[in-house]
Amino acid sequence: MKQDKNIPYKVYLSEDELPKAWYNVRADMKTKPAPLLNPGTGKPLKAEELYPIFCEELVAQELDNDTPYIEIPQEIRDCYKMFRPSPLVRAYFLEEALGTPAKIYYKFEGNNTSGSHKLNSAMAQAYYAKKQGLKGVTTETGAGQWGTALSMACSFFGLDCKVYMVKVSYEQKPFRREVMRTYGASVTPSPSMETEVGKKILAEFPGTTGSLGCAISEAVEAATTHEGYRYVLGSVLNQVLLHQSIIGLEAKAAFDKIGVKPDVIIGCAGGGSNLGGLISPFMGEKLRGEADYRIIAVEPASCPSFTRGRYAYDFCDTGKVCPLAKMYTLGSGFIPAPNHAGGLRYHGMSSILSQLYDDGYMEATSVIQTDVFKAAEQFARVEGILPAPESSHAIKAAIDEALKCKETGEEKTILFGLTGTGYFDMVAYEKFHNGEMTDYIPTDEELAASLAKLPVVK
Amino acid sequence: MKQDKNIPYKVYLSEDELPKAWYNVRADMKTKPAPLLNPGTGKPLKAEELYPIFCEELVAQELDNDTPYIEIPQEIRDCYKMFRPSPLVRAYFLEEALGTPAKIYYKFEGNNTSGSHKLNSAMAQAYYAKKQGLKGVTTETGAGQWGTALSMACSFFGLDCKVYMVKVSYEQKPFRREVMRTYGASVTPSPSMETEVGKKILAEFPGTTGSLGCAISEAVEAATTHEGYRYVLGSVLNQVLLHQSIIGLEAKAAFDKIGVKPDVIIGCAGGGSNLGGLISPFMGEKLRGEADYRIIAVEPASCPSFTRGRYAYDFCDTGKVCPLAKMYTLGSGFIPAPNHAGGLRYHGMSSILSQLYDDGYMEATSVIQTDVFKAAEQFARVEGILPAPESSHAIKAAIDEALKCKETGEEKTILFGLTGTGYFDMVAYEKFHNGEMTDYIPTDEELAASLAKLPVVK
């Protein structure tokens, strides 16, 4: 292995170098993300209106567009030590395999039992719920990373945890469910007969295998109808991007430590939690005019909210019980084709990222599933880590960028987010190995039909 | 979290602090481990007799009882960087949960795709095979960690990899198999019709679901009957303990860095790869009279080779194609009861550890399966990591030691080896959650019957 002088294979921050505050990118945005609206009145939601759904301190974080740094409470910093810092890895072996002059780095968030970056926000949300004296929290999970992360966090802080798991995942991923049970969570396949909205959806679509949007509706209803419970969400929300900024802050500190500045930053994008977290401090510099970075969001071609969606107000959930958010969306009724990157199958996108994308601060691209798995396998074989299908979207784009550098001879420094591991996704890998994996790209007509049903906002 | 001054949650060595040589504990043993014998002649095997089975450089390591430090080739040190250093973790949260004055540390080897420490030796063995110009290697796997590790190593060094997987595991763990396929390995359920020994075993025991001893026989036959192939093994052998000494060397360097000395060192023991590696440098100090440590091997009560076996020459495999090794053994015909710690279901034990145990340098204890899973779940909930069933044997013993300290008030420093993660063992966890897990302890009569069949060695 040819190694650059003073650039180790992995950079770990020491305990006293760990970030002590999250970075709130909204503070540096000239155009702030559009506010959440009350679907009834069409008016911006006030904090009090959100209290029945979210913890109060999290509502404050959700609505805070001004404070650039928000201190991470000591209790959260303590439990971050269980799985942080995550390493910033120089992909020496991948570079060698590609024969590229590019320097590729990845920030690897998969070295924890949730298998992804989701634990960063789960620990924070569980902490604030406990601090408010709540009994427990409810949530939804698709692929299972978020549900696992929240189960771990609730077990840690002594909270009850109720997870509505998209039925198809519940059935296909019994092991994910069992991990959540190990941490004491209760897991219900969604849609269920436990909630009114679940019953309604089942009556309308008997035999449905569920969707994230539908599981969100159930989890919100369960939270608002049970004393001492609130709802928590693993992506999309401003508060989640705030917590996930720990990824970018650590990455930046590690780069500073070795005196390197990335040129291109790449992250997969479903609801935006990983991408938003990874890019936050770099985007801050870009917004303040202190540095320039090319920032690329990678989404599945089967669920292309950035690249083919519309920037508009929409419901966050299928049952339409949630507030309206302005975001790049495919329509809350859009049911993406089966894709093994369950974490990227969401119809909308973080309001923060949507505004930044709309303002031209970042690019977006979409990739097809079989190409993603080819990149995943190539990566696994040279870098050792078997990546999650979601993360592999970023790998695919990073490899493409590195191969462009090979053509042009440019020695660009590429950073991508490796959000997690694929240990619970072996059914997908098996399909790929057996040549049974298919690609699906929605037609223009399908998207138009879904977008035609966007809510009308005054 | 109450944290001791200057003792971080995790200690990572920096790249330049990583060990550059393995430590060979045999060099410091007054009584050397007994040599491997040719089963035909009953005489010690010469290097040349082992060349048809093992790579030449590995044979040299296997037979070297004198060299204390053996340099780790740069190529191996490079790929160690992919997944090493592993962290030395202070189990602050576990200590708090137990209310013990003991200081508990664990060396966590699970942060890599093989999910265990097995990759340490796999990388070394694949490297030497490649260096010798071989086409490929064969091996057996039970629980799957070793097979996965070897697949990764072979993919990395460009070798063909043929894995005989114990049939019951092959069927129960399709995801493990799929990980190996991701790395390009071929996986055959054992016993198979591909080998003479497999055919013979199937004829004698139709419908058998296989055993490690049987898969070893097949892998050895496959290696010796195919041009350009050799056999590699993930435990028991001296060479494996040599490679695994990296665990103990890193742990010791990390302890030295924070100025701490453990009092008690605990590891789970199947064939001895993890335990032998973890304790090596500490045992070296003990053998040289420089320090004293209490060292404890933990084995499953269902397969108690140390605590209820006999120290004698025995076959390493069921098919009796392998050399004879002197070791604590339950008899090569012993079929342990089903136990979810597949990595600990081996009838014998490393010759090195057997000699050290016989000489009184270490203790051994056995634990029952349900207690192990109780400890595993307790650990997962406070420390975050969902442990492998194998590793959880060490957790159980460490918790017991820490609780004794609670009674006596002693502030002992306990180190245990957390060999891996349980992400592919969720069937076992599910049985535990559902109250369907059973314990089995072999009767004295069963053991006596098996031990009566030990080979007679002149």
Side-chain angles (χ1 to χ4, degrees):
Chain A
M1 177 173 78
K2 273 189 211 156
Q3 210 170 328
D4 284 354
K5 216 187 152 191
N6 301 326
I7 309 288
Y9 189 89
K10 285 183 210 159
V11 187
Y12 278 109
L13 300 178
S14 66
E15 208 169 279
D16 52 4
E17 291 169 327
L18 295 179
K20 294 183 178 57
W22 293 301
Y23 169 64
N24 180 8
V25 72
R26 285 167 284 166
D28 285 307
M29 288 169 70
K30 268 172 234 154
T31 314
K32 306 293 179 191
L36 294 172
L37 299 186
N38 180 319
T41 64
K43 293 209 173 127
L45 277 163
K46 289 181 199 134
E48 307 82 74
E49 292 177 274
L50 287 166
Y51 289 162
I53 307 179
F54 300 122
C55 299
E56 296 185 13
E57 205 140 356
L58 292 167
V59 169
Q61 293 179 357
E62 189 64 29
L63 301 179
D64 185 339
N65 283 341
D66 306 304
T67 315
Y69 286 95
I70 294 177
E71 200 196 322
I72 309 175
Q74 186 62 48
E75 291 85 346
I76 299 176
R77 285 166 55 200
D78 279 347
C79 51
Y80 275 180
K81 289 178 191 167
M82 291 167 70
F83 59 101
R84 307 206 68 80
S86 73
L88 178 72
V89 186
R90 172 75 182 270
Y92 281 116
F93 293 115
L94 179 61
E95 291 172 20
E96 197 175 284
L98 298 174
T100 176
K103 294 159 196 329
I104 310 173
Y105 290 83
Y106 55 91
K107 179 75 171 160
F108 178 41
E109 292 288 315
N111 272 348
N112 70 70
T113 290
S114 85
S116 83
H117 65 294
K118 293 289 183 185
L119 202 48
N120 297 327
S121 187
M123 283 294 188
Q125 296 193 48
Y127 165 77
Y128 289 117
K130 186 70 185 179
K131 201 179 157 203
Q132 193 172 318
L134 297 178
K135 279 189 214 155
V137 292
T138 70
T139 199
E140 75 294 331
T141 200
Q145 288 100 326
W146 169 247
T148 311
L150 190 69
S151 305
M152 292 171 69
C154 286
S155 147
F156 191 80
F157 285 109
L159 281 168
D160 186 39
C161 182
K162 183 147 191 57
V163 180
Y164 289 88
M165 188 170 186
V166 177
K167 193 180 275 173
V168 61
S169 296
Y170 182 90
E171 283 160 5
Q172 284 180 357
K173 296 188 160 190
F175 294 163
R176 272 277 179 207
R177 181 188 71 207
E178 217 50 49
V179 177
M180 291 185 251
R181 280 181 77 195
T182 303
Y183 288 93
S186 75
V187 188
T188 306
S190 166
S192 77
M193 295 298 282
E194 283 183 13
T195 64
E196 293 309 314
V197 67
K199 285 180 205 161
K200 202 176 133 194
I201 292 167
L202 281 171
E204 200 173 342
F205 308 100
T208 175
T209 52
S211 72
L212 261 188
C214 161
I216 293 175
S217 302
E218 287 207 88
V220 171
E221 182 185 318
T224 51
T225 54
H226 288 81
E227 182 71 25
Y229 281 75
R230 292 295 183 282
Y231 168 70
V232 296
L233 179 62
S235 192
V236 184
L237 295 175
N238 297 342
Q239 60 188 266
V240 175
L241 266 71
L242 175 73
H243 306 148
Q244 294 295 355
S245 71
I246 190 86
I247 307 173
L249 291 164
E250 276 189 12
K252 200 165 173 321
F255 272 128
D256 288 347
K257 206 169 163 173
I258 54 171
V260 170
K261 239 180 155 43
D263 300 301
V264 188
I265 303 171
I266 299 170
C268 62
S273 67
N274 148 68
L275 179 71
L278 176 69
I279 67 172
S280 272
F282 302 99
M283 182 61 87
E285 288 188 300
K286 190 167 175 168
L287 290 166
R288 297 190 302 270
E290 296 165 7
D292 198 16
Y293 302 100
R294 219 182 123 211
I295 294 173
I296 307 172
V298 192
E299 54 187 18
S302 59
C303 192
S305 39
F306 265 141
T307 50
R308 297 177 67 201
R310 190 178 301 166
Y311 190 32
Y313 268 104
D314 194 6
F315 286 97
C316 297
D317 64 325
T318 313
K320 303 185 181 179
V321 302
C322 286
L324 293 167
K326 190 174 178 193
M327 54 185 180
Y328 275 84
T329 180
L330 300 165
S332 67
F334 179 77
I335 305 283
N339 178 303
H340 292 289
L344 305 182
R345 293 180 72 229
Y346 183 65
H347 68 275
M349 181 59 67
S350 142
S351 289
I352 294 175
L353 294 180
S354 294
Q355 187 61 48
L356 290 168
Y357 178 65
D358 206 55
D359 287 343
Y361 287 105
M362 48 186 279
E363 306 165 28
T365 185
S366 72
V367 289
I368 59 169
Q369 178 163 241
T370 46
D371 285 349
V372 165
F373 275 82
K374 267 179 223 159
E377 188 160 281
Q378 179 176 21
F379 181 83
R381 289 186 179 191
V382 294
E383 289 288 323
I385 300 165
L386 190 142
E390 292 84 359
S391 327
S392 305
H393 286 68
I395 296 175
K396 164 68 181 151
I399 289 177
D400 287 350
E401 282 299 316
L403 291 176
K404 275 186 218 158
C405 289
K406 189 178 178 177
E407 280 176 29
T408 61
E410 287 173 291
E411 293 189 18
K412 280 189 191 164
T413 297
I414 299 167
L415 165 66
F416 72 89
L418 188 68
T419 55
T421 51
Y423 307 147
F424 291 91
D425 298 289
M426 296 320 297
V427 167
Y429 275 91
E430 185 173 15
K431 285 202 173 154
F432 174 68
H433 295 147
N434 294 344
E436 294 161 1
M437 186 170 276
T438 53
D439 289 306
Y440 182 76
I441 302 174
T443 63
D444 289 340
E445 290 70 28
E446 281 171 292
L447 288 185
S450 170
L451 289 168
K453 291 180 197 151
L454 285 179
V456 180
V457 177
K458 303 144 239 181
Chain B
M1 178 173 78
K2 272 189 214 157
Q3 210 170 328
D4 283 354
K5 217 188 153 191
N6 301 324
I7 309 288
Y9 190 88
K10 286 183 208 160
V11 188
Y12 277 109
L13 301 177
S14 67
E15 208 168 281
D16 52 3
E17 291 169 329
L18 295 179
K20 295 182 178 61
W22 293 301
Y23 169 64
N24 180 7
V25 73
R26 285 167 285 167
D28 285 306
M29 289 169 70
K30 268 171 230 151
T31 313
K32 306 293 180 191
L36 293 173
L37 299 185
N38 180 318
T41 66
K43 292 206 174 131
L45 277 164
K46 290 180 198 135
E48 308 82 73
E49 293 177 273
L50 287 166
Y51 289 162
I53 307 180
F54 299 122
C55 298
E56 296 185 13
E57 206 139 356
L58 291 168
V59 169
Q61 292 179 358
E62 189 65 29
L63 301 178
D64 186 339
N65 283 340
D66 305 305
T67 316
Y69 286 94
I70 294 177
E71 200 195 324
I72 309 174
Q74 186 62 49
E75 291 85 345
I76 299 176
R77 284 167 54 202
D78 279 348
C79 52
Y80 275 180
K81 289 179 193 168
M82 292 168 67
F83 59 101
R84 309 206 66 81
S86 72
L88 177 71
V89 186
R90 173 74 182 270
Y92 281 116
F93 293 115
L94 179 61
E95 290 172 20
E96 197 173 287
L98 297 174
T100 175
K103 293 158 197 329
I104 309 173
Y105 291 84
Y106 55 91
K107 179 75 171 160
F108 178 42
E109 293 288 314
N111 271 349
N112 70 71
T113 290
S114 83
S116 82
H117 65 293
K118 294 288 182 186
L119 202 48
N120 298 326
S121 187
M123 284 293 188
Q125 296 193 48
Y127 165 77
Y128 289 117
K130 187 69 184 180
K131 200 179 157 203
Q132 193 172 318
L134 297 178
K135 279 188 215 157
V137 291
T138 70
T139 200
E140 77 294 331
T141 200
Q145 288 101 326
W146 169 247
T148 311
L150 190 69
S151 306
M152 293 171 69
C154 286
S155 147
F156 191 81
F157 285 108
L159 282 169
D160 185 38
C161 181
K162 184 148 191 54
V163 180
Y164 290 88
M165 187 169 187
V166 177
K167 193 179 276 173
V168 61
S169 296
Y170 182 89
E171 284 160 3
Q172 284 179 357
K173 295 189 161 190
F175 295 164
R176 271 279 178 204
R177 181 187 73 208
E178 217 51 48
V179 177
M180 292 185 250
R181 280 182 77 196
T182 303
Y183 288 93
S186 76
V187 188
T188 307
S190 166
S192 77
M193 295 299 282
E194 283 183 12
T195 64
E196 292 309 314
V197 67
K199 284 180 206 163
K200 203 176 133 195
I201 292 168
L202 281 171
E204 201 172 342
F205 308 100
T208 175
T209 52
S211 73
L212 261 187
C214 161
I216 293 176
S217 301
E218 287 206 89
V220 170
E221 184 187 316
T224 50
T225 54
H226 288 81
E227 183 70 26
Y229 280 74
R230 292 293 183 282
Y231 168 70
V232 295
L233 178 62
S235 192
V236 184
L237 295 174
N238 298 341
Q239 60 189 268
V240 175
L241 267 70
L242 175 73
H243 306 148
Q244 294 295 356
S245 70
I246 190 85
I247 307 172
L249 291 164
E250 276 189 13
K252 201 167 171 323
F255 271 128
D256 288 348
K257 207 169 163 173
I258 53 171
V260 170
K261 238 180 155 45
D263 300 300
V264 187
I265 304 171
I266 299 170
C268 62
S273 67
N274 147 69
L275 180 70
L278 176 70
I279 67 172
S280 272
F282 301 99
M283 182 61 87
E285 288 188 300
K286 189 166 175 168
L287 290 166
R288 296 190 303 270
E290 295 164 9
D292 198 16
Y293 302 99
R294 221 183 121 209
I295 295 173
I296 308 172
V298 192
E299 53 187 18
S302 59
C303 192
S305 38
F306 266 141
T307 49
R308 296 176 67 198
R310 190 178 300 166
Y311 190 33
Y313 268 103
D314 195 6
F315 287 97
C316 296
D317 63 325
T318 312
K320 302 184 181 181
V321 303
C322 286
L324 294 167
K326 190 175 178 193
M327 54 186 179
Y328 275 84
T329 179
L330 299 166
S332 66
F334 179 76
I335 306 282
N339 179 303
H340 293 289
L344 305 182
R345 291 180 73 229
Y346 184 66
H347 67 277
M349 180 58 67
S350 143
S351 289
I352 295 174
L353 294 180
S354 294
Q355 187 62 48
L356 289 168
Y357 178 65
D358 206 54
D359 287 343
Y361 286 105
M362 48 187 279
E363 307 165 27
T365 185
S366 72
V367 288
I368 59 169
Q369 179 163 240
T370 45
D371 284 349
V372 165
F373 275 82
K374 267 178 223 161
E377 188 161 280
Q378 180 176 20
F379 181 82
R381 291 186 178 191
V382 293
E383 290 287 323
I385 300 165
L386 191 142
E390 291 84 359
S391 327
S392 305
H393 286 68
I395 296 174
K396 165 66 182 153
I399 289 176
D400 287 348
E401 282 299 316
L403 290 177
K404 276 186 217 157
C405 289
K406 190 177 177 177
E407 280 177 30
T408 62
E410 288 173 290
E411 292 189 18
K412 281 188 191 166
T413 297
I414 300 167
L415 165 66
F416 72 88
L418 189 68
T419 56
T421 51
Y423 308 149
F424 291 91
D425 298 288
M426 296 319 296
V427 168
Y429 275 92
E430 186 174 15
K431 283 203 174 155
F432 174 67
H433 294 147
N434 294 344
E436 293 160 1
M437 186 169 274
T438 52
D439 290 306
Y440 181 77
I441 302 173
T443 63
D444 289 340
E445 291 69 30
E446 281 173 293
L447 288 183
S450 170
L451 289 167
K453 291 179 198 154
L454 285 179
V456 181
V457 176
K458 302 144 235 180

